[in-house]
Amino acid sequence: IQSLLYNYMNELLFKFCSDGFCAVKVDILEFNETEFRITANLQGDTFNPSIHSCGTEIKAITYSNMQIHTEDPNKVDLYVIVDI
C-alpha cells in the first residue's frame, strides 16, 4: 500500500512541476492493491503566482515514517513527510 501511495503522490508532484497543476481536492474512487492502481477524481487549478500564494516548494515525496491508518472503515488517514 505504501508503495502505491508513494507512486501516486509522486505523480501528483510531477504534474505540478511539469504542468503547474495543483490538486485541491482528491476523491479516491478505487484503490486496487492487487493491480497496483488508483483511480481518482482530481479538482484543482493551474498554479498562477499572481492569484495563488506560494509557500515552501516540495522537492520529493518520501517513505520516511509514512503511515496509513485504516481503523475507521469510512475513511483513511495518511501521514506523509515530504522533502523540502
Side-chain angles (χ1 to χ4, degrees), residues 27-81:
D27 290 320
I28 304 294
L29 305 175
E30 177 188 17
F31 196 96
N32 189 322
E33 297 174 53
T34 307
E35 297 180 14
F36 203 69
R37 180 179 65 230
I38 295 176
T39 304
N41 282 334
L42 302 174
Q43 294 178 0
D45 199 1
T46 301
F47 182 78
N48 182 340
S50 64
I51 299 172
H52 304 105
S53 60
C54 185
T56 304
E57 181 180 355
I58 296 174
K59 293 181 183 175
I61 307 300
T62 70
Y63 280 105
S64 177
N65 202 21
M66 183 183 285
Q67 299 173 26
I68 302 171
H69 301 279
T70 58
E71 291 82 22
D72 183 339
N74 297 315
K75 71 174 186 171
V76 175
D77 292 315
L78 306 173
Y79 179 79
V80 180
I81 296 174

